[in-house]
Amino acid sequence: MKFTLSWLKDHLETDATLDEIVETLTLIGLEVESIDDKAEFAPFTIAKVLTAEKHPDADKLRVLSVDAGDGKPVQVVCGAPNAKAGLIGAFASPGTYVPGIDLKLSVGNIRGVESHGMMCSERELKMSDEHDGIIELPKDTPIGGSFAAYAGLDDPVFEIGITPNRPDALGVAGIARDLEAAGMGKVKKLSIAEPKSGFPCPVDVKLDFDAEQENLCPAFGLQYVKGVKNGPSPKWMQQRLLAIGLRPISALVDITNYVTYDLGRPLHVFDADKVKGDLVVRRGKDGEKFLALDGKEYTLGPQICVIADDNGVESLAGVMGGELSGCSDDTVNVLVESALWHPLNIARTGRDLGINTDARYRFERGVDPSFTKSGLDHGTNLVIELCGGEASASVIAGEIPKPDLIIEFPISEVQRLTGIEVPSEECIKILQRLGFGVSGTGDVLNVAVSSWRPDVFGKPDLVEEIMRIYGVNKIEPQPLSSHGAVGAKILTTGQVRNRAAKRSLAARGMLEAITWSFIPENHAKLFGGGLQATKLANPISVEMSDMRPSLLPGLISAAGRNSDRGYNDVALFEVSGIYLGDKPEDQKRIAGGIRRGSAKLSGSGRDWQTPAPEVGVFDAKADALSVLEACGMDTSKVQIMAGGPDWYHPGRCGRIQLGPKNVLATFGELHPLTLEALDVSGPICGFEVVLDAIPEPRKKATKTKTPLELSDLQAVRRDFAFVVDQSVDAATLTRAAAGAEKVLISNVSIFDLFEGASIGEDKKSIAIEVTLQPKEKTLTDEDIAAVSNKIVDNVMKSTGGVLRG
Amino acid sequence: MNDIVTLENSILAEIDTAKDEAALESVRVTSLGKKGSISEKMKTLGGMTPEERQKTGPALNGLKATVTEAIATRKDVLKREAISARLEHETIDVTLPVRQSPSEAGRIHPISQVVDEITAIFADMGFSIAEGPDIETDYYNFVALNFPDGHPAREMHDTFFLESDENGERKLLRTHTSPVQIRTMEAQEPPIRIVIPGKTYRCDSDATHSPMFHQMEGLVVDKTSNVANLKWVLEEFCKSFFEVDQVKMRFRPSFFPFTEPSLEVDIQCDRSGNEVRFGEGNDWMEILGCGMVHPNVLRSGGFDPDEYQGFAWGIGIDRIAMLKYGMPDLRAFFDADVRWMKHYGFRPLDMPTLFGGLSS
């Protein structure tokens, strides 16, 4: 919402400075977004041309002697054809910035003659496009004064942001009302006389709605004015419209725009001679066409309200008038319309047709119903004032709703909600100045809501009115009551895991990424997604069409982008949501990560001590296990199973699970076809841990750890090598070894893996070191031999392998 | 006696010139060994007169001691020389680099770090952290928050919708973290003090708008909390978060459907340089929106607005992260450019705490 200071002062008598008004507007909720104080026009003065001689070396130039009021004439070279002795105009001295040509003047030398300034054209002062000559003021204009003040160029322009609840502030008069309430002056009451009418309105209007849709147009006012003469609107009106960024068109059109901004009351003016028969306000018909003032044709439907005559639709209710019945310079008879529309219907019409107008903006927020008739009178008066003519009687179809909301308002609500005590007289005064009707004097007031405040429904709304006018600044911060001396744990298990997973992966040298929750459909499908339930109906682009079923495609694509920039060895992770459906429980908390190229735990790229090996399935497995450990899982208790989802390499991926129904994580090298589809080259390994699947830790009575049992007896280590089929899992073998003697065996680890022709195709040799930890007595050779035999038997039984000779 | 002196000189000379331990050993054998020169002399003592023996015995014993000590001394010298020579041979270039440890190389995203900072501050004020789903219903995102159908305020939220399901219901991506207010009120009795950090979505994209961004919602519901408390909480938060002694904040009346009264908050700052400084300067920067929970929202949560009251606020996490740490472009947050992550990210062991300071 834009307006100028002089415009505001039409409605508000005030001594306040510009700064005070600006600050107050912001503090009462009418946020000043910008203020153009027009200071750039200040240096221009009114000056008189004393003499004008022909330039000695140029036919079209004149050398002027200009008096800017200080009695010290200066020499100015000027090319304007109308430059002559005696002319009074706008002068800019050297050093002045001239906005219309974006130039800072300096002392010039034009064909050998010095020029100390410039006489300006209207274009040079951004007043119009006029540049055929310099500005000529009346002969009696006093010289030496400010040209900007004389021409009204110094009128500061406000731009304020109006929140959707304040349609009353979408007119300058409403803003003046708020300023008065805030002590910034006194509102100049608007007095609108009913226009003198000498004949009945020749055009009738009918509201044609079903009973349940009558609220689409509660009232419609119309007045005929005959014998008008259209033309440019007066200078002052044009200047104000220009200042707020509107293009003056003609008096009849400018009047409607001016009243929209001045009083927040949109009006429409039809060329009455182009209207055929009476007007009908009705719903549009399916497929009905309408040519609007913007020159575009719109196809209408029954959800849209229109104003029609015998020719068809003449206007889109509350949104935009029609091209065919619009006013032109030849218009002699007009119909002035002031109507009321249903805000939601106007909003929907504007949205459906993609039309934004000042009228729509106001109607969808709520136009003061009580001002419908006065608005019509005011519009008609302005038409007669600016264009002449004679008014008919007015017609009002429908019924103008009367405000009937009265709020029972305990004054104590102000303190309850804001913490400040505002004296009740002050509360009453504020409400009254804002136009609320207040009755009662005790603790509970009856407050009648004014017709221009559709946003005020209940007690908190009134508290807000009192608070914003009384001053939010006056509320002193008060501490919240303390809940206790020492803060308790506030994070849920899930939140704790979230943080632990992030910190542990970063501590493994990975970089935390946050990638989009929406990914391209083909990526989603590659990772088991792309369901109808997780598809966006209005994606911002096809690259962001589906909610992700996995963190991996986003991370792999990110690795690809980094690779394109020359960073091939990257380790990325993300801890965030995936979406397996559209229900809350379908959103899973995942820790996922990838490593590309040589980005291993020990570091990436080449190093003088070690070569740069490629990442593989075991890097991803280690990452996944470390997340589980960080989240409190004892990973010695989990099952590692071969195989996983089909975006992984089928022979190089696995699952970490607690039984087949509870898969905690998957890991592996990415399938070459997956990478090809994502257009990223490998090698890439990745993992995903489902943090929600990790069981809640069991609640324990105390935090005491289990006792530490240390044996003084020396541990014994024995090595074994077994030749087994390739298909035998190493985990099966170590589990068999460990299970051979549960008391003595404290650890089994694999220290060598050998595959080669010497032990036969399809065979491998796995060498293990078994640690025996005696607890009661030192082991004898016989004890050790007995355990060794058990180990060998157990492994051979479980794996079908043999002890390697 | 002269021959003893001569012998001593000659043995000591041999010891001195022994080049290694082997040569020294042969000197020991030829002097002190069973058939060594000194041992042979010792054997002659038996054939001497007592007077001679009295003179020669001590002299020979002295010779033996001198030689023994000289050998030991020489042996030590030779050992040290040998070690020195070996160590010199083993010298390597210590300026060669070592590999960076993983915990030095890894980085936490600024959003995660800032969420941890926020958590530390609000935990201290007795708040818990609440969460909710990204895919929401129209009810939780709008209706329950007092955005009636067709309300113009809905248009300010450029909403992403999902495809309608078989019942014609159309889910959406939450446009703010406020739905979690309702979900929390449904699940919990007052007093409620929660903050809700999370992802939010709007179909909007430029340097300062991203279709996905992060918000932190706060909600307090009890029987007394008012605007004065709200001001205190937010001032304390901003002071702690930006790690300045003082902040000056300006609360302006505004409008949000789910609060009444509603306020927007500006923070005073100095933007004259390349960075934004808080607690000084003459500029106002809008930083968050807040207000008293609207009676209709309290009713949606199942509470009587004449008995319960409270306040709520919403603040952009990305935005305050950018303001505090100086990232210029929001879009870079979600691009996963390793150069950006290494530069703006945080070390995994830099945990924000109040006792150690939020940032180092």
Side-chain angles (χ1 to χ4, degrees):
Chain A
M1 170 72 191
K2 281 176 149 186
F3 59 94
T4 72
L5 182 61
S6 75
W7 196 341
L8 176 67
K9 286 184 174 177
D10 277 4
H11 294 282
L12 185 73
E13 219 175 287
T14 182
D15 301 326
T17 64
L18 182 62
D19 285 347
E20 285 167 343
I21 293 173
V22 167
E23 198 189 336
T24 304
L25 282 170
T26 295
L27 290 179
I28 60 176
L30 306 176
E31 186 191 4
V32 177
E33 288 175 343
S34 72
I35 181 97
D36 181 352
D37 61 6
K38 302 285 176 185
E40 64 184 7
F41 293 108
F44 296 89
T45 48
I46 300 172
K48 184 174 186 177
V49 178
L50 301 177
T51 59
E53 309 293 338
K54 195 185 141 316
H55 190 289
D57 279 332
D59 285 347
K60 290 194 172 164
L61 295 180
R62 282 182 187 77
V63 180
L64 314 181
S65 169
V66 175
D67 178 8
D70 55 3
K72 294 179 204 152
V74 291
Q75 177 175 292
V76 173
V77 179
C78 179
N82 63 337
K84 56 181 182 282
L87 178 141
I88 294 178
F91 173 70
S93 56
T96 303
Y97 171 79
V98 183
I101 50 174
D102 188 24
L103 184 80
K104 194 172 175 179
L105 291 183
S106 52
V107 176
N109 186 311
I110 301 167
R111 297 215 184 168
V113 180
E114 278 201 355
S115 181
H116 294 263
M118 177 178 183
M119 294 298 288
C120 303
S121 69
E122 290 201 352
R123 191 172 80 188
E124 281 152 354
L125 287 175
K126 282 184 161 172
M127 296 167 72
S128 72
D129 286 338
E130 180 59 50
H131 193 54
D132 290 341
I134 52 177
I135 297 167
E136 275 192 77
L137 300 178
K139 296 281 172 232
D140 54 353
T141 313
I143 61 170
S146 158
F147 175 75
Y150 172 85
L153 296 180
D154 60 349
D155 197 5
V157 179
F158 294 74
E159 178 159 20
I160 60 178
I162 303 291
T163 50
N165 60 325
R166 293 295 307 278
D168 63 302
L170 293 174
V172 181
I175 293 166
R177 185 193 303 122
D178 256 32
L179 282 169
E180 181 197 57
M184 282 286 109
K186 195 147 179 49
V187 164
K188 296 180 185 170
K189 272 257 182 310
L190 203 62
S191 78
I192 298 171
E194 213 167 280
K196 259 189 235 130
S197 58
F199 57 98
C201 187
V203 177
D204 199 11
V205 58
K206 197 176 103 201
L207 306 185
D208 180 16
F209 293 99
D210 297 342
E212 67 271 19
Q213 289 154 349
E214 275 173 357
N215 62 355
L216 290 179
C217 177
F220 189 100
L222 197 64
Q223 195 151 22
Y224 187 89
V225 184
K226 68 178 177 189
V228 303
K229 185 171 179 344
N230 200 8
S233 60
K235 197 91 183 159
W236 64 266
M237 186 179 274
Q238 290 196 28
Q239 229 164 40
R240 283 185 178 171
L241 293 176
L242 276 171
I244 62 168
L246 293 182
R247 195 164 54 91
I249 293 166
S250 69
L252 290 171
V253 176
D254 292 356
I255 286 168
T256 62
N257 286 332
Y258 189 81
V259 176
T260 298
Y261 275 84
D262 190 43
L263 303 174
R265 184 4 114 175
L267 299 171
H268 184 63
V269 179
F270 297 90
D271 184 328
D273 297 329
K274 295 174 189 163
V275 170
K276 190 174 173 198
D278 290 335
L279 294 181
V280 182
V281 184
R282 59 165 168 85
R283 298 178 359 156
K285 292 168 189 160
D286 259 326
E288 202 167 25
K289 306 271 193 225
F290 168 66
L291 183 64
L293 267 175
D294 60 3
K296 291 185 195 156
E297 190 179 71
Y298 296 91
T299 304
L300 313 179
Q303 71 284 3
I304 290 168
C305 280
V306 301
I307 299 146
D309 63 5
D310 293 352
N311 289 328
V313 177
E314 294 292 0
S315 179
L316 272 185
V319 177
M320 191 179 271
E323 178 74 22
L324 298 179
S325 57
C327 294
S328 68
D329 286 350
D330 308 326
T331 299
V332 284
N333 301 309
V334 295
L335 282 164
V336 183
E337 168 206 323
S338 171
L340 275 182
W341 308 105
H342 192 274
L344 290 185
N345 180 259
I346 297 299
R348 184 169 165 194
T349 299
R351 203 164 54 232
D352 288 352
L353 300 180
I355 307 178
N356 277 308
T357 59
D358 288 325
R360 171 195 167 187
Y361 193 73
R362 283 161 182 76
F363 278 120
E364 68 187 8
R365 282 162 176 75
V367 163
D368 180 5
S370 301
F371 195 71
T372 309
K373 171 69 166 65
S374 305
L376 183 63
D377 292 344
H378 187 63
T380 303
N381 287 337
L382 276 174
V383 168
I384 293 169
E385 191 186 320
L386 303 187
C387 307
E390 191 189 337
S392 76
S394 59
V395 183
I396 303 279
E399 201 174 322
I400 294 169
K402 291 198 171 55
D404 56 0
L405 177 61
I406 291 173
I407 300 170
E408 231 176 70
F409 183 59
I411 290 180
S412 59
E413 283 290 289
V414 177
Q415 217 225 318
R416 177 169 95 102
L417 294 184
T418 68
I420 32 162
E421 215 167 325
V422 182
S424 66
E425 319 80 73
E426 182 78 23
C427 293
I428 293 170
K429 202 166 82 187
I430 289 170
L431 291 172
Q432 283 174 336
R433 279 177 172 179
L434 288 171
F436 293 91
V438 181
S439 58
T441 49
D443 296 339
V444 180
L445 305 174
N446 287 316
V447 180
V449 178
S450 38
S451 58
W452 56 83
R453 291 303 299 270
D455 60 310
V456 173
F457 290 102
K459 295 177 280 189
D461 301 305
L462 296 176
V463 171
E464 177 171 81
E465 293 305 300
I466 292 165
M467 179 188 78
R468 74 183 177 92
I469 299 297
Y470 183 75
V472 186
N473 287 347
K474 294 184 185 148
I475 304 175
E476 283 301 318
Q478 294 288 330
L480 266 188
S481 64
S482 172
H483 273 194
V486 177
K489 171 185 166 182
I490 61 155
L491 296 184
T492 61
T493 306
Q495 291 160 349
V496 169
R497 286 175 181 163
N498 208 46
R499 299 176 79 237
K502 288 178 183 177
R503 300 276 165 185
S504 69
L505 289 169
R508 293 177 64 78
M510 306 181 88
L511 305 175
E512 187 190 1
I514 296 179
T515 63
W516 303 110
S517 298
F518 15 62
I519 60 175
E521 183 185 27
N522 63 322
H523 291 195
K525 283 187 167 161
L526 278 175
F527 288 80
L531 314 172
Q532 182 72 6
T534 51
K535 211 169 272 303
L536 291 181
N538 56 336
I540 206 158
S541 79
V542 289
E543 299 297 305
M544 299 178 158
S545 61
D546 287 64
M547 298 306 285
R548 61 184 176 196
S550 160
L551 299 180
L552 294 177
L555 291 171
I556 293 168
S557 300
R561 289 195 299 276
N562 280 296
S563 173
D564 293 343
R565 299 182 190 113
Y567 294 83
N568 295 309
D569 304 307
V570 298
L572 307 174
F573 76 93
E574 181 166 2
V575 180
S576 190
I578 61 163
Y579 312 88
L580 304 178
D582 63 1
K583 298 184 183 58
E585 60 272 23
D586 296 331
Q587 183 173 332
K588 305 285 183 199
R589 199 195 300 262
I590 302 288
I594 57 149
R595 293 176 181 272
R596 181 174 187 278
S598 68
K600 293 173 84 79
L601 179 66
S602 51
S604 65
R606 292 182 294 179
D607 181 68
W608 63 275
Q609 279 179 298
T610 43
E614 288 187 342
V615 296
V617 58
F618 295 108
D619 298 295
K621 179 180 174 183
D623 290 333
L625 287 171
S626 86
V627 169
L628 290 171
E629 279 285 347
C631 293
M633 252 336 269
D634 177 357
T635 52
S636 66
K637 302 272 169 12
V638 299
Q639 298 169 332
I640 311 280
M641 308 298 285
D646 52 16
W647 49 86
Y648 288 120
H649 183 314
R652 294 189 177 185
C653 69
R655 308 184 300 282
I656 305 175
Q657 62 183 45
L658 297 168
K661 291 222 171 99
N662 192 4
V663 176
L664 303 178
T666 61
F667 60 87
E669 293 172 23
L670 270 293
H671 197 294
L673 292 177
T674 307
L675 293 181
E676 192 180 303
L678 295 173
D679 197 21
V680 179
S681 61
I684 294 182
C685 67
F687 68 91
E688 284 187 286
V689 178
V690 187
L691 298 181
D692 301 323
I694 304 172
E696 274 284 324
R698 222 175 294 143
K699 277 233 164 81
K700 288 190 230 138
T702 71
K703 296 287 177 189
T704 313
K705 297 187 181 225
T706 52
L708 174 64
E709 284 171 20
L710 293 176
S711 172
D712 291 336
L713 304 170
Q714 197 171 20
V716 176
R717 292 189 176 81
R718 284 290 179 272
D719 292 350
F720 303 86
F722 294 95
V723 175
V724 295
D725 284 349
Q726 279 285 7
S727 60
V728 172
D729 290 342
T732 310
L733 193 153
T734 51
R735 206 160 42 235
E741 166 51 82
K742 288 198 167 122
V743 180
L744 272 181
I745 297 176
S746 65
N747 188 48
V748 177
S749 62
I750 296 175
F751 67 89
D752 189 42
L753 177 69
F754 176 76
E755 290 161 345
S758 61
I759 54 171
E761 294 288 319
D762 304 330
K763 298 280 184 198
K764 61 186 172 187
S765 161
I766 296 174
I768 58 173
E769 179 191 84
V770 178
T771 306
L772 306 175
Q773 176 59 65
K775 300 207 167 80
E776 284 156 10
K777 63 177 183 67
T778 306
L779 296 178
T780 63
D781 288 347
E782 291 75 41
D783 294 337
I784 295 171
V787 177
S788 296
N789 287 338
K790 277 197 205 169
I791 291 170
V792 172
D793 286 350
N794 223 27
V795 169
M796 289 187 1
K797 205 163 70 197
S798 321
T799 66
V802 294
L803 197 61
R804 194 174 168 193
Chain B
M1 292 300 284
N2 273 347
D3 55 340
I4 291 179
V5 174
T6 311
L7 183 61
E8 180 175 325
N9 287 342
S10 95
I11 293 173
L12 290 180
E14 279 177 59
I15 289 171
D16 273 351
T17 54
K19 285 209 161 46
D20 50 27
E21 287 192 57
L24 189 63
E25 179 63 11
S26 89
V27 175
R28 191 191 65 78
V29 171
T30 54
S31 54
L32 298 173
K34 260 186 186 161
K35 290 184 176 162
S37 47
I38 296 173
S39 307
E40 292 301 327
K41 284 265 183 220
M42 287 289 199
K43 286 176 190 161
T44 63
L45 285 177
M48 285 183 190
T49 64
E51 296 76 25
E52 276 177 335
R53 202 183 298 136
Q54 225 160 26
K55 255 173 75 186
T56 313
L60 277 177
N61 278 332
L63 172 63
K64 193 175 171 184
T66 305
V67 168
T68 305
E69 197 192 322
I71 289 175
T73 306
R74 181 64 187 161
K75 194 172 180 178
D76 192 52
V77 168
L78 286 174
K79 183 178 152 194
R80 283 170 186 281
E81 280 174 4
I83 288 177
S84 295
R86 194 184 89 218
L87 295 188
E88 196 175 340
H89 185 67
E90 287 172 358
T91 298
I92 55 172
D93 178 1
V94 297
T95 65
L96 282 167
V98 293
R99 299 207 98 168
Q100 197 180 31
S101 78
S103 65
E104 282 170 65
R107 287 290 183 276
I108 292 289
H109 195 285
I111 293 293
S112 297
Q113 189 76 3
V114 163
V115 168
D116 278 355
E117 294 182 10
I118 291 168
T119 304
I121 295 167
F122 281 106
D124 199 56
M125 290 198 262
F127 284 74
S128 322
I129 309 293
E131 293 163 307
D134 293 6
I135 299 177
E136 267 295 1
T137 60
D138 184 80
Y139 174 76
Y140 281 110
N141 197 72
F142 288 127
V143 175
L145 291 164
N146 198 38
F147 290 70
D149 201 11
H151 193 283
R154 279 193 176 207
E155 268 199 64
M156 293 162 71
H157 292 223
D158 300 306
T159 311
F160 279 116
F161 294 99
L162 286 105
E163 296 285 2
S164 304
D165 65 12
E166 59 275 16
N167 305 321
E169 199 201 345
R170 194 170 63 156
K171 296 262 176 55
L172 48 81
L173 297 186
R174 65 179 180 189
T175 57
H176 44 188
T177 40
S178 314
V180 187
Q181 285 192 22
I182 305 295
R183 290 182 178 275
T184 304
M185 285 193 269
E186 285 175 345
Q188 196 183 325
E189 287 299 313
I192 292 173
R193 282 188 196 181
I194 50 162
V195 287
I196 308 149
K199 283 197 169 78
T200 45
Y201 305 86
R202 293 189 193 179
C203 27
D204 203 351
S205 185
D206 58 43
T208 53
H209 295 93
S210 158
M212 177 177 88
F213 55 104
H214 295 82
Q215 239 186 22
M216 187 247 308
E217 185 95 2
L219 175 70
V220 171
V221 178
D222 53 28
K223 292 186 175 179
T224 58
S225 289
N226 54 37
V227 174
N229 301 130
L230 168 64
K231 284 181 93 169
W232 180 81
V233 167
L234 294 175
E235 287 195 7
E236 289 301 307
F237 168 72
C238 286
K239 223 160 58 184
S240 310
F241 178 76
F242 290 112
E243 301 180 67
V244 290
D245 296 334
Q246 277 306 318
V247 286
K248 198 164 170 199
M249 294 168 84
R250 181 171 78 176
F251 288 73
R252 284 183 285 110
S254 188
F255 169 76
F256 305 106
F258 39 102
T259 49
E260 188 72 41
S262 301
L263 297 156
E264 271 185 338
V265 183
D266 303 328
I267 183 165
Q268 197 173 50
C269 60
D270 179 359
R271 296 163 97 165
S272 57
N274 289 330
E275 50 193 25
V276 181
R277 289 165 181 268
F278 295 99
E280 51 189 287
N282 294 313
D283 295 320
W284 291 103
M285 184 188 305
E286 189 182 319
I287 190 160
L288 63 92
C290 59
M292 297 299 293
V293 181
H294 195 286
N296 290 348
V297 176
L298 286 168
R299 282 186 201 107
S300 302
F303 304 139
D304 174 359
D306 284 324
E307 186 181 357
Y308 291 103
Q309 62 188 72
F311 55 80
W313 73 87
I315 187 167
I317 296 177
D318 321 77
R319 185 168 155 72
I320 58 173
M322 288 164 84
L323 287 175
K324 183 169 181 180
Y325 293 111
M327 286 76 82
D329 189 337
L330 178 55
R331 287 170 296 195
F333 278 59
F334 311 118
D335 189 43
D337 184 333
V338 294
R339 298 166 299 179
W340 189 91
M341 292 188 282
K342 279 182 184 286
H343 184 79
Y344 288 113
F346 292 82
R347 290 165 188 274
L349 298 181
D350 289 343
M351 301 270 212
T353 58
L354 292 181
F355 59 82
L358 290 181
S359 63
S360 45

